[in-house]
Every structure is written in structure tokens, then in C-alpha cells.
Amino acid sequence: MSTVLRIILQRLALGLLTLVIVSIVIFAAVNSLPGDFAQAILGQAATPEAVAAIRTQIGLDDPPVTRYMLWLYGAVQGDLGISFAQANFTTFTGSSNNVTVADQIAPRFANTMFLAGVTAAIAVPLAVTLGILAALYRNSVFDRAANIFTLSSISSPEFFVAYVLILFLAVLNPILPSLSNIYADMAMGARLKATLLPALTLTLVVTAHMMRMTRAAIINLLASPYIEMARLKGISPLRVILRHALPNALAPIINVIALNLAYLITGVVVVEVVFVYPGIGQLFVDSVKIRDIPVVQACCLIFAAAYILLNLTADILSILSNPRLRHPK
Amino acid sequence: MKQISRRGLLRTGMAAGVLAATGVPTLAQSRGGTLRLGLAGANTSDSWDGRTHSDTYMIVCAMGAVFDCLTEIAANGELVGELAESWEATADAKTWIFNLRQGVTFHNGAAFTADDVIASLNLHVAEGSQSAAAPIVAAITEMTKLGDYQVQFVLEAGNADFPFLLSDYHLLMYPHGSIEEAIANGIGTGLYRNVSFDPGVRTVLQRVDGHYKDGQAGWFDSIEVIAINDGSARMTALMTGQVDAVNNVVFQTEPLMRANPAIEVMDVTGNQHYSFPMLTNLSPLDNVNVRQALKYAVDRQELVDKVLQGHGAVANDHPIGPANQYYFAELEQNSYDPDRAKAMLQAAGLDGLNIDLSVSDAAFAGAVDAGLLYQAKAADCGININVVQEAADGYWSNVWLKKPWCASYWSGRVTEDWMFTLGYQTGAAWNDTNWENERFQSLLLEARAELDSAKRREMYYEMQMLCSQEGGVVIPMYANFVTANSTKLSHPETVGNVYDLDSNRIAERWWMA
């Protein structure tokens, strides 16, 4: 087990390094976009004096390297700073308020996690079941239909899938609301109902990948001699797959599930905008629009961290599920 | 959520149509229901501070529901009192006395008095405040409390429009002494109190019991305002009945809405206009004949039809619109006329003209298309317009006021003086033409202090004419406010046209059918 622990620590350290590099890349990218916060927020009212005043107030006058270092200095102490919009607002009104980036992101992140949770609860069992059934009845009509359906839904852009679902489930048959504006004190039932359409959209987007991987991994194993042996013993095909093939196919399946779970956190931007779901993706879009670097940075760090951690989890789980990897030579 | 069948909606919609046709008044307002609005223009940095308001979402919530101003522009354009009951001015329009409404209380129980007026207005000129309404308050040299319900304002120069200016949506009344708290929690004197406010996401408001507007306004029990910045999502929310009204209708889906009997599309022409300002201090735009040639080289109706898809009206190269008091509707219309354009070029001593027009959709939606249409029509007038597509980011900082000729827009102002002062007075920060005309500038000052309505009308008519004939801006069109609402809502026959959604007062003035 100590090797696993060492791997975890090693990967976490590498993950931290990745986060720093990601933050540098994002910082550079947002800075190289035309226009800055002052110009974006002032719009037509952007007289040179007003732009200069806002830049001075929120520290946009400092050279980029200095600003990045200041941000990094705060970030390593767990202080992600105050968004430009809030900082500008504070000087604007002459009042003090303490809404930090963390305060802004926390409720949005919770909403995104809720959506990811609901989606995972639908998508993972669905994809694995479909994958197993497709392997079981491979090359049958069912296998082909499942393949065509999931592949075409993953091949369509997310917003298109979203609009198709809205058309069928909200406009033509008003079963579900097209607006997913969940809020803090909403009852669980209503919350689930409001979240269902974006969750279904995401389900359609992530299912194909997981299902195909499950199917492929199992079919791969079905040619092995021990499966042949099991069959010769006269075990039913379903039992062969569940008892003998699946445990050995788990590693690649877990990997792909973890990757897709990460996608549920980082890839929700478009879906959240289409359904007006108040998650982190929508906040991200709003912040990029006004070049609010502290919020953009924080969102990107969360996205990157989600990927790194879920990948790490996937690796650990596949190591644990595969004794050969647990004892590297 | 209450489910309503489409059949049921159709029936009530048809019933309303029959009643309207037979002339039976359908305006029987009744209390009750929840108004659910899906609005664009929301931000995560939104707050109850009127000084920061600039878009529909917060104006509907604040000026339109939770807070009141001293005066209000009624749907027919007339100025009426809101928290002020009456006002009078000295003959030079320099000193104004406002009598305040008595017995009004804030949502926290505090009584509304003259102290609140003075404290609320002073917010705009406080140290560090960047309020867009600061120039209005800065023009007040002295504010005196004459009694608990009477305030005297002394202005630095006479301004006949002063009571109009006090209806501005930035100039909200807060309870003095607890302004910070009022800004944090949304405590005003309006018809609705703040129940929950999640910036950039959702606002819930509840009707106040016993309000001075009882019987005249405030028919809903509660208001839910949902931030929907995405156009398609907003339209779908209305189509699926999740909200009762939306602003900024997406033109592509508008025919679908018109075809739906349960939805009413509202097209209101106000003062909002799209423009092509020229820097008149630069050659060849310093020549009035060249400017006129350009005004005759644009097919305005084509722009209204193709760029606004019919949701607008032809404008006449001056910034005063149908929502203004002294709009000169009979002024001779500048229209597309290649022969006149060529004659104007000849008068300027030119055979033809090569000119750059800087455009970007940041100026207004469809500005690039408008530039190309302009180019095609101007070619027949001997004018070669080179349409330069600029980056949308930083457009207002790098192109507007900098490039000799570009695309721009103005939301318009409720008074002629305000509009001209902001964008046309010599030396104004937003003067986007640098147009110098002595007569125009002296009329501007003269009209401002004139209390006689007939004389003002004459002066503003002349200013609109000067601007249209000699001015430095091509204003081809007024852009309508296009909103849509469910026929479950009823509204007065006359709907305000200063801003969208009944001048942003939908929560006060509309009711459930």
C-alpha cells in the first residue's frame, strides 16, 4: 500500500505544479484579450479619465508580472482576492463590503456539483448497463441502435441537444421546465425537476464515451481463454460477463467514468447558459465577458483541480483494481 | 407552478379580442397574482445602489418596484409627482420648491421627509461616487429643508426641465441615516418590498400593504424577476409559460411569437437611436456639403427593414425622438436621393468621395450590415464608403470619438436639453461630432432657462432643424423597444416609451387579466 501512498503524494505535487502553470496560462490569455475590465464595464461611457480612474482603483496599472505575483502570493495563502466588479463597486459606492471571489463562487460551485451529481446518478448506471448489454448482444440490432443513438448525441453540439430536448420535453410536451433557475431555499422535488433537463442533456453528451468503453473493454476480454473456459463450463452469457469479464474490465471503465465526471464539472458552461442554470459555468462566462481576471482565475483553478483530482482518483482506483499495477517491477 | 392549458389561454385571449372589438373597456384592474419577468441585462455585480444602475434588470427592480423617485413620467409622457406632490419655480427657473407627499413610510417603518431627499441626492456627488446622474445633482448649488415636507433647490443656472430630471432612475429616495442598510437590503418607499435578491440570478419582491399608490398602481401580489441574459433561453421561457414577460425579443423568433395566440409582442418606438457620428473638425467632414451628401446617400427605410427587421422607425439626423415633449415630427425628412447627394458633392467641389466608415456590432446589433447596406447605396451617389470592421472589444475606447466616422448608438434622453447637453454641447465629454454652430449653442442655453412652453417648443424645433440639416451625425433610424408578454397579463392602453416594458414600470402598472 505504501507504493500507492507514494504515487498519490507524487501526483498531488505534480498537480499543484500543473495548477500554477494553468494559472499562468490563463492570466496571460485573459490579459492578451483585447480590451480590459475598465473598458468592458464602462462601455460607451469609457472616457479616457474614467478608464484611467478604474484602472488605478483596481490596480490594473501595475505591470502584469507584478499583478500575477500579488495574486499568487494571495492564492497560496488561500485568498483568491476580490473580483474587479466588486472592487470597482466598493469604490463606486464609497461603502465597504467583503464579498470575496470565494464567497461569489461557493454557492455557484455547489449548484454545479448538484447538477454534476444528478447527471452522474443518471448517466453512469445508464452507460454501464447499456455497455454491458451491448457487449452481451453485440452486433445485434440493439447494439447498433444503442451505438447509433449515443454516438449521434455525442456528435451533436451540446446546445443543439439542449434545444432538441427543450423542444420535445418543454415546448411540445410541457413536462419539464426549460428554465433551470434553481435557488437556495427551493424544495428538493422542485429542484430536481428544474435540474432534470440540463442533467439529461449532459447525460446524452457523456453516455456514449462511457458506454463504448464498457462495451469495448468487455468484448476485448471475451476472447480470452478464461472466458472461453467459463463458457465451456456452461455459465450463462450474462453471468460470464458480470462475474468474469467485468471485474477485469473495470480499470479502463473507471478511467473513462472519472474523465467524464470531470467533464461534468468543467464542460457545463454551454449547458448552464442555455438553461439559465446558476452554476459556475455561467459565472465564468459573465466574468470572461467583463475581463474579471480574479474570478476567471478562480474558476479555471477549480476546473483544473477537478480534472487533476478525478484523474488521480481514476488512476488510484485502476491501480487498486489491478494487482499487477500494485506491484510494479 | 399552476399549469394552464393552451386551450384555456386561447379562450381568454379570444375573449379579450372580442371585448376590445365591441368597445367594452377591458381595463378592469384587479389585485393578485405573481408577475414573473425574464430579463436580460443582469450582472453578478448588481446591487440596490441606484447610482450603479444602467440596465433593464435593476431599473425594473429598483425604480420600477422597490424604490420611488420624486417625479415620474407617466405613460403618456406627462410629468407627474411620485414622492413629490407639487413643485414651483421662480421666473428664471433657478429656484425650485418641491412639496413632498406626507404620510409615506419606508419599508423599515421610517417616515419619508425632506431629510431623505437631501441625503439621497447628496449620494450622487459624494466623494468617489461615479454616478451617471452626478451632473444633475452637481447643478444644484443649494438644497434647503423648508419644512419636513418641503425642499428648496437653487440651481447654478436656470433649468426648466429640472423636475423632469428628478424622474431619472438613478435618483432613488433612500432613508437618511440608514442608507447603507437600505442599499444592502433594498429598503425604499416603493410598492414592493425586497424578499430575496441574488445578484445576476433572481429577485423576489412582495407587495406592501397600505401604499400611497393603492388603487392606481401595484396590482400584483408578488414579483419574481429572473435574470436570463441568453436570448434563446429567454424566448423559450416565455413560450413555455415559465415567465410572463421578457425584454429584448430575439428577432429570429419573433414570427413564432406573433403566431402564438397566447403571446403579445410589443413594439414601442422611443428615443433610442442608432447613429453614424462624424468628427466635423476633420477634412472632408468639416464641409457641410459633404455631410449633407452623406445624409442623402443612405436608404433609411432599407436599414429599418433589414437591420431592425421592421422594429424601428426612420430618423432624421437629430437625436430627439417620439418620446420627447418637443419632437419635431413635421420637420422635412432627409431621404435617399442620389441626385441631391451628387449635387452636394459638386457644391463641395468634389467629383466623388472616398471615406472610411468604422463599424462593429459592439456599436449596435447589425452595425456591420448597416455599414455594408450604406456602402451599396452610396456607391450610386458617387460616394465610395470603405467599411472598416473594428474589434468589438474596446470599441468605445478605441474607435468611438477617435475615428473620423463610425457607428454608435444612444438610448436617448427624456428631455431635449439633457440629450443635447450630453452629446452636442461644445466641450461635452460625449460630444461625438465636435460640431460647432453658434446659433445651436446659444439656443441650447436659452431654451434651458425658458419656462414658457411655446417658446421652448420653437427653440427646440429650430435646434432639431439645424442638427438635421447641418449637424455632424447621420441618424438613420430609431430602434424600437421590442418586448413580449403572455396574454395572461393586461396593460393600460397607453404604454410608456421612455424605456422598454412600460418605461420599466411594468410591475407597477400592469395586472393579471
Side-chain angles (χ1 to χ4, degrees), chain A residues 11-181:
Chain A
R11 294 288 298 273
L12 279 178
L14 276 175
L16 274 180
L17 184 67
T18 316
L19 283 185
V20 173
I21 294 171
V22 164
S23 73
I24 293 176
V25 171
I26 297 301
F27 192 82
V30 178
N31 268 306
S32 60
L33 287 174
D36 65 4
F37 172 77
Q39 292 179 347
I41 205 81
L42 286 169
Q44 197 181 13
T47 53
E49 301 81 45
V51 170
I54 290 189
R55 281 186 185 155
T56 313
Q57 277 160 10
I58 60 175
L60 272 177
D61 279 343
D62 299 335
V65 178
T66 316
R67 280 191 283 134
Y68 178 75
M69 286 303 170
L70 280 175
W71 175 83
L72 191 64
Y73 180 70
V76 291
Q77 298 172 3
D79 174 16
L80 291 171
I82 296 176
S83 81
F84 285 168
Q86 287 293 342
N88 177 47
F89 176 72
T90 308
T91 54
F92 197 97
T93 56
S95 64
S96 58
N97 75 27
N98 304 312
V99 184
T100 60
V101 169
D103 293 336
Q104 264 182 298
I105 287 184
R108 300 296 195 102
F109 185 59
N111 285 345
T112 295
M113 290 303 283
F114 181 75
L115 175 57
V118 174
T119 312
I122 303 172
V124 174
L126 179 75
V128 173
T129 314
L130 277 179
I132 292 172
L133 289 177
L136 186 59
Y137 304 110
R138 65 180 178 282
N139 300 331
S140 70
V141 177
F142 168 79
D143 181 23
R144 275 172 205 181
N147 268 321
I148 289 173
F149 179 70
T150 52
L151 280 179
S152 43
S153 61
I154 200 178
S155 315
S156 325
E158 281 162 51
F159 67 87
F160 178 73
V161 175
Y163 287 141
V164 169
L165 285 181
I166 288 179
L167 178 66
F168 284 107
L169 296 177
V171 179
L172 296 180
N173 312 294
I175 308 168
L176 293 170
S178 68
L179 210 56
S180 308
N181 60 323

Side-chain angles (χ1 to χ4, degrees), chain B residues 33-50:
Chain B
T34 296
L35 171 68
R36 296 160 308 156
L37 296 169
L39 302 184
N43 291 297
T44 45
S45 55
D46 282 341
S47 83
W48 291 112
D49 190 332

Side-chain angles (χ1 to χ4, degrees), chain B residues 464-502:
Chain B
Q464 288 171 55
M465 192 182 71
L466 282 170
C467 197
S468 170
Q469 291 175 353
E470 297 173 31
V473 59
V474 178
I475 303 179
M477 52 191 162
Y478 297 106
N480 285 358
F481 299 115
V482 188
T483 62
N485 56 271
S486 149
T487 47
K488 280 188 283 171
L489 292 182
S490 259
H491 56 79
E493 223 160 280
T494 315
V495 168
N497 61 354
V498 180
Y499 302 108
D500 53 1
L501 296 172
D502 208 343

